[in-house]
Amino acid sequence: GEDVEQSLFLSVREGDSSVINCTYTDSSSTYLYWYKQEPGAGLQLLTYIFSNMDMKQDQRLTVLLNKKDKHLSLRIADTQTGDSAIYFCAESLGGATNKLIFGTGTLLAVQP
Amino acid sequence: EAGVAQSPRYKIIEKRQSVAFWCNPISGHATLYWYQQILGQGPKLLIQFQNNGVVDDSQLPKDRFSAERLKGVDSTLKIQPAKLEDSAVYLCASSFSVNQPQHFGDGTRLSIL
């Protein structure tokens, strides 16, 4: 079945790197996404990676994909207090609908 | 570029009442999605439109939920009658086409008393 799992909570100090992990089950996933959700807001698209890539870098963000282990990670360099939010991993199933399956989210708390 | 617009931002109703949410997608986006996000969970797809046609409504509780996108632009999602378990944030998203990234609105937070 389709399932995406994330750890619930991560706490880091300002200036450190944060690594948020995600595992998924569907081997036919085409794209994998990272979204950020701040309190009372919708989901902001951060970055995404095509399933035939193993790494993507975008400014402070680095996405690593291990397709064999179905493991995705998001690294945030030089984490700032403004990065405090819930981070959602999502896999897209492709096909006619390209449906997204979301994880339960990881709450990132950045300590000053 | 204007983002996905949703209204209202908040709604409080009693169980068994009806409620409607409105969404205006990003201009030019053919695909529109409604998601339900229960507290502490990730969003779950309720219905997906491609232009004015339904692509996927397999997770929509059709006995009480309905949605339409008559002219292929704006969309409304309705719940009638509401149940306590419908308390959630209802998120609208749009994408240029099916295989493009989805962009989300700020959502409507629904509380059922």
Side-chain angles (χ1 to χ4, degrees):
Chain A
E2 308 146 356
D3 195 18
V4 177
E5 294 192 356
Q6 300 179 238
S7 52
L8 290 180
F9 182 72
L10 176 66
S11 178
V12 300
R13 288 202 173 276
E14 192 173 18
D16 288 349
S17 291
S18 309
V19 179
I20 303 171
N21 295 299
C22 169
T23 57
Y24 60 98
T25 55
D26 200 308
S27 57
S28 64
S29 295
T30 54
Y31 286 91
L32 294 121
Y33 296 85
W34 285 104
Y35 284 88
K36 174 184 179 183
Q37 187 174 37
E38 297 183 68
L43 276 69
Q44 174 194 351
L45 177 65
L46 287 178
T47 187
Y48 59 98
I49 188 168
F50 189 51
S51 58
N52 68 353
M53 298 171 62
D54 52 20
M55 187 181 93
K56 181 179 179 181
Q57 187 151 3
D58 184 359
Q59 299 182 339
R60 291 190 299 123
L61 306 178
T62 303
V63 178
L64 295 178
L65 175 60
N66 181 328
K67 197 170 181 181
K68 174 176 168 289
D69 294 338
K70 299 189 182 69
H71 183 266
L72 182 74
S73 68
L74 174 70
R75 178 178 181 269
I76 306 173
D78 186 26
T79 312
Q80 303 297 307
T81 53
D83 295 324
S84 294
I86 299 176
Y87 289 80
F88 288 96
C89 162
E91 62 170 340
S92 67
L93 302 184
T97 65
N98 204 29
K99 179 179 177 179
L100 289 188
I101 305 297
F102 284 86
T104 52
T106 299
L107 174 61
L108 174 65
V110 182
Q111 311 300 324
Chain B
E1 176 183 76
V4 176
Q6 290 189 246
S7 67
R9 287 297 316 276
Y10 305 93
K11 191 73 179 178
I12 302 173
I13 61 172
E14 295 185 347
K15 60 183 179 185
R16 290 187 288 274
Q17 286 188 323
S18 62
V19 64
F21 314 125
W22 174 81
C23 172
N24 181 235
I26 293 172
S27 178
H29 281 197
T31 315
L32 185 146
Y33 314 78
W34 283 103
Y35 287 85
Q36 180 191 59
Q37 185 179 20
I38 292 173
L39 188 64
Q41 299 182 17
K44 287 185 171 54
L45 181 69
L46 291 174
I47 189 167
Q48 178 180 345
F49 291 93
Q50 181 67 19
N51 296 309
N52 60 352
V54 175
V55 176
D56 183 355
D57 63 356
S58 57
Q59 301 301 307
L60 188 74
K62 297 180 187 64
D63 57 335
R64 298 182 302 105
F65 285 65
S66 65
E68 59 184 15
R69 194 185 183 200
L70 293 175
K71 296 182 180 178
V73 180
D74 294 5
S75 177
T76 56
L77 176 69
K78 295 179 182 177
I79 308 175
Q80 182 180 11
K83 291 186 174 182
L84 292 175
E85 62 259 34
D86 299 331
S87 292
V89 176
Y90 290 85
L91 295 163
C92 179
S94 70
S95 61
F96 182 75
S97 64
V98 167
N99 290 315
Q100 296 298 308
Q102 298 178 28
H103 298 270
F104 284 78
D106 285 338
T108 296
R109 185 175 299 274
L110 176 65
S111 297
I112 312 291
L113 304 179

XYZ file of all heavy atoms in Angstrom, chain A residues 3-6 22-24 29-35 43 45 47-49 65 72 87-93 98-105, chain B residues 35 42-43 102 104:
347
model
N 2.338 4.453 1.700
C 2.575 4.952 3.034
C 3.852 5.782 3.017
O 4.832 5.411 2.372
C 2.711 3.798 4.031
C 2.586 4.261 5.466
O 2.065 5.376 5.695
O 3.009 3.517 6.361
N 3.820 6.913 3.726
C 4.986 7.780 3.851
C 5.181 8.047 5.336
O 4.243 8.461 6.008
C 4.779 9.108 3.090
C 5.972 10.021 3.281
C 4.545 8.847 1.601
N 6.391 7.792 5.831
C 6.647 7.943 7.260
C 7.745 8.963 7.518
O 8.732 9.037 6.794
C 7.029 6.599 7.869
C 5.895 5.586 7.834
C 6.176 4.360 8.683
O 7.275 4.257 9.238
O 5.281 3.503 8.772
N 7.532 9.733 8.590
C 8.519 10.734 9.010
C 8.604 10.698 10.530
O 7.634 10.353 11.213
C 8.077 12.151 8.612
C 7.878 12.394 7.153
C 7.417 13.817 6.882
O 6.364 14.032 6.305
N 8.208 14.798 7.289
N 12.632 10.786 5.667
C 11.329 10.314 5.195
C 11.533 8.966 4.513
O 12.529 8.778 3.795
C 10.781 11.352 4.211
S 9.339 10.856 3.258
N 10.626 8.031 4.752
C 10.634 6.774 4.007
C 9.279 6.604 3.339
O 8.247 7.040 3.861
C 10.919 5.565 4.914
O 9.935 5.530 5.956
C 12.300 5.650 5.517
N 9.289 5.991 2.165
C 8.052 5.788 1.433
C 8.023 4.348 0.942
O 9.026 3.634 0.979
C 7.949 6.788 0.268
C 9.070 6.695 -0.742
C 8.918 5.989 -1.930
C 10.294 7.319 -0.508
C 9.945 5.898 -2.856
C 11.324 7.229 -1.436
C 11.143 6.524 -2.601
O 12.177 6.428 -3.512
N 6.891 5.662 -7.491
C 6.844 7.117 -7.318
C 7.651 7.808 -8.408
O 8.755 7.388 -8.739
C 7.410 7.510 -5.954
O 6.615 7.007 -4.919
N 7.095 8.900 -8.939
C 7.785 9.627 -10.009
C 8.558 10.817 -9.449
O 9.710 11.031 -9.784
C 6.781 10.111 -11.053
O 5.752 10.856 -10.399
C 6.171 8.936 -11.805
N 7.905 11.610 -8.625
C 8.545 12.747 -7.975
C 8.362 12.633 -6.464
O 7.372 12.061 -5.998
C 7.909 14.072 -8.427
C 8.277 14.510 -9.819
C 7.505 14.137 -10.916
C 9.408 15.294 -10.035
C 7.838 14.549 -12.195
C 9.749 15.714 -11.319
C 8.963 15.335 -12.386
O 9.307 15.741 -13.649
N 9.320 13.217 -5.731
C 9.192 13.314 -4.275
C 9.364 14.774 -3.892
O 10.238 15.467 -4.444
C 10.214 12.412 -3.585
C 9.893 10.939 -3.875
C 11.038 10.250 -4.561
C 9.488 10.225 -2.606
N 8.532 15.223 -2.987
C 8.425 16.645 -2.675
C 8.699 16.913 -1.198
O 8.443 16.064 -0.338
C 7.004 17.143 -2.971
C 6.594 17.075 -4.412
C 6.070 15.903 -4.949
C 6.717 18.177 -5.240
C 5.681 15.833 -6.279
C 6.331 18.127 -6.572
C 5.816 16.948 -7.083
O 5.431 16.892 -8.402
N 9.161 18.139 -0.936
C 9.216 18.660 0.425
C 8.420 19.955 0.485
O 8.632 20.871 -0.316
C 10.653 18.927 0.863
C 11.418 17.690 1.196
C 12.365 17.068 0.444
C 11.300 16.908 2.396
N 12.842 15.948 1.090
C 12.196 15.834 2.293
C 10.517 17.014 3.552
C 12.350 14.873 3.292
C 10.665 16.060 4.545
C 11.565 15.005 4.406
N 7.483 19.986 1.434
C 6.676 21.174 1.686
C 6.924 21.649 3.112
O 7.188 20.858 4.004
C 5.179 20.866 1.535
C 4.691 20.746 0.117
C 4.739 19.530 -0.555
C 4.153 21.848 -0.546
C 4.270 19.418 -1.867
C 3.681 21.746 -1.849
C 3.745 20.532 -2.506
O 3.274 20.434 -3.793
N 0.548 24.936 2.689
C 1.835 24.286 2.441
C 2.603 25.057 1.376
O 2.073 25.349 0.311
C 1.621 22.842 1.975
C 1.411 21.796 3.061
C 0.080 21.983 3.753
C 1.527 20.405 2.476
N 5.679 24.978 -1.200
C 6.581 24.056 -1.898
C 8.015 24.522 -1.710
O 8.374 25.635 -2.054
C 6.238 24.014 -3.386
C 7.144 23.148 -4.260
C 7.029 21.684 -3.893
C 6.810 23.361 -5.741
N 10.997 22.223 -2.431
C 11.813 21.623 -3.471
C 11.245 20.261 -3.819
O 10.398 19.725 -3.098
C 13.283 21.507 -3.015
O 14.098 21.069 -4.115
C 13.453 20.541 -1.861
N 11.708 19.703 -4.945
C 11.273 18.363 -5.314
C 12.369 17.719 -6.143
O 13.251 18.387 -6.682
C 9.939 18.388 -6.067
C 9.941 19.203 -7.346
C 10.107 18.585 -8.587
C 9.751 20.575 -7.313
C 10.090 19.317 -9.751
C 9.746 21.324 -8.487
C 9.902 20.692 -9.699
O 9.892 21.434 -10.852
N 12.302 16.407 -6.229
C 13.329 15.658 -6.931
C 12.665 14.584 -7.778
O 11.700 13.946 -7.343
C 14.348 15.062 -5.926
C 15.546 14.447 -6.638
C 13.700 14.055 -4.995
C 16.706 14.106 -5.698
N 18.142 11.293 -2.289
C 17.189 10.221 -2.544
C 17.925 8.901 -2.693
O 18.823 8.775 -3.544
C 16.382 10.514 -3.806
C 15.424 9.409 -4.275
C 14.386 9.085 -3.214
C 14.742 9.793 -5.585
N 14.264 9.296 1.651
C 14.420 10.677 1.191
C 14.836 11.525 2.379
O 14.331 11.320 3.488
C 13.095 11.186 0.627
C 13.045 12.593 0.040
C 13.728 12.627 -1.313
C 11.590 13.038 -0.104
N 7.522 20.186 8.406
C 7.995 19.821 7.070
C 7.349 18.508 6.644
O 7.418 17.512 7.361
C 9.518 19.696 7.062
C 10.183 21.049 7.197
C 10.306 21.659 8.451
C 10.653 21.746 6.086
C 10.878 22.920 8.590
C 11.231 22.998 6.209
C 11.330 23.574 7.459
O 11.895 24.823 7.593
N 6.724 18.543 5.464
C 6.041 17.360 4.950
C 6.783 16.807 3.733
O 7.144 17.556 2.823
C 4.615 17.698 4.510
C 3.669 17.966 5.650
C 3.431 19.262 6.064
C 3.030 16.927 6.306
C 2.563 19.526 7.112
C 2.161 17.170 7.350
C 1.929 18.478 7.760
N 6.956 15.515 3.763
C 7.457 14.783 2.618
C 6.235 14.238 1.876
O 5.238 13.878 2.505
C 8.333 13.658 3.176
S 8.693 12.305 2.106
N 6.290 14.190 0.533
C 5.178 13.631 -0.229
C 5.721 12.903 -1.444
O 6.683 13.355 -2.072
C 4.203 14.726 -0.658
N 5.096 11.777 -1.767
C 5.445 11.067 -2.988
C 4.285 11.191 -3.974
O 3.121 11.215 -3.583
C 5.744 9.588 -2.710
C 4.590 8.793 -2.145
C 4.839 7.290 -2.108
O 5.722 6.802 -2.842
O 4.121 6.602 -1.360
N 4.633 11.298 -5.250
C 3.598 11.332 -6.282
C 3.583 9.980 -6.977
O 4.637 9.400 -7.253
C 3.842 12.458 -7.278
O 5.002 12.215 -8.036
N 2.383 9.505 -7.229
C 2.230 8.153 -7.741
C 2.224 8.089 -9.264
O 2.107 7.015 -9.841
C 0.938 7.538 -7.190
C 0.859 7.497 -5.658
C -0.406 6.784 -5.221
C 2.092 6.831 -5.059
N -1.432 11.587 -10.853
C -0.240 12.083 -10.150
C -0.575 12.433 -8.698
O -0.115 13.439 -8.167
C 0.351 13.293 -10.862
C 1.823 13.465 -10.558
O 2.533 12.502 -10.300
N 2.282 14.697 -10.535
N -1.349 11.594 -8.050
C -1.812 11.816 -6.684
C -0.623 11.925 -5.732
O 0.352 11.182 -5.847
C -2.689 10.626 -6.302
C -3.261 10.627 -4.909
C -4.122 9.390 -4.740
C -4.668 9.279 -3.338
N -5.535 8.079 -3.201
N -0.725 12.841 -4.757
C 0.317 12.988 -3.743
C -0.095 12.263 -2.469
O -1.232 12.389 -2.008
C 0.552 14.460 -3.403
C 1.234 15.349 -4.439
C 1.545 16.711 -3.836
C 2.515 14.709 -4.938
N 0.852 11.525 -1.890
C 0.668 10.891 -0.594
C 1.624 11.586 0.366
O 2.845 11.567 0.141
C 0.961 9.389 -0.636
C 0.122 8.700 -1.712
C 0.723 8.759 0.734
C -1.362 8.757 -1.496
N 1.073 12.183 1.417
C 1.869 12.951 2.358
C 2.220 12.131 3.595
O 1.439 11.281 4.041
C 1.099 14.187 2.824
C 1.048 15.299 1.815
C 0.068 15.320 0.839
C 1.988 16.321 1.849
C 0.024 16.347 -0.104
C 1.945 17.349 0.924
C 0.965 17.355 -0.050
N 3.377 12.435 4.174
C 3.708 11.930 5.493
C 2.976 12.732 6.557
O 2.238 13.679 6.245
N 3.213 12.378 7.829
C 2.525 13.052 8.927
C 3.217 14.347 9.343
O 2.703 15.085 10.158
C 2.421 12.144 10.151
O 3.722 11.643 10.456
C 1.478 10.980 9.890
N 4.383 14.612 8.762
C 5.055 15.871 9.051
C 6.068 15.761 10.174
O 5.886 14.992 11.120
N -7.914 19.118 -0.529
C -7.371 18.212 0.468
C -8.035 18.491 1.823
O -8.421 19.622 2.129
C -5.861 18.430 0.658
C -4.985 17.942 -0.467
C -4.744 18.739 -1.588
C -4.381 16.689 -0.400
C -3.923 18.288 -2.611
C -3.557 16.233 -1.413
C -3.331 17.041 -2.520
O -2.515 16.593 -3.529
N -0.907 14.688 7.811
C -0.653 15.297 6.519
C -1.947 15.434 5.733
O -2.954 14.802 6.061
N -1.947 16.266 4.697
C -3.162 16.430 3.883
C -3.533 15.135 3.161
O -2.654 14.363 2.750
C -2.756 17.508 2.868
C -1.567 18.187 3.453
C -0.868 17.162 4.256
N 2.341 20.968 -7.166
C 1.112 21.546 -6.658
C 1.428 22.714 -5.729
O 2.320 22.627 -4.883
C 0.305 20.485 -5.905
C -0.121 19.328 -6.796
C -0.871 18.253 -6.043
O -1.527 18.518 -5.037
N -0.796 17.028 -6.540
N -0.281 25.408 -2.906
C -1.400 25.392 -1.979
C -1.831 26.786 -1.550
O -1.003 27.708 -1.446
C -1.010 24.605 -0.722
C -0.992 23.122 -0.915
C 0.062 22.500 -1.564
C -2.038 22.338 -0.443
C 0.069 21.116 -1.757
C -2.036 20.962 -0.623
C -0.986 20.352 -1.281
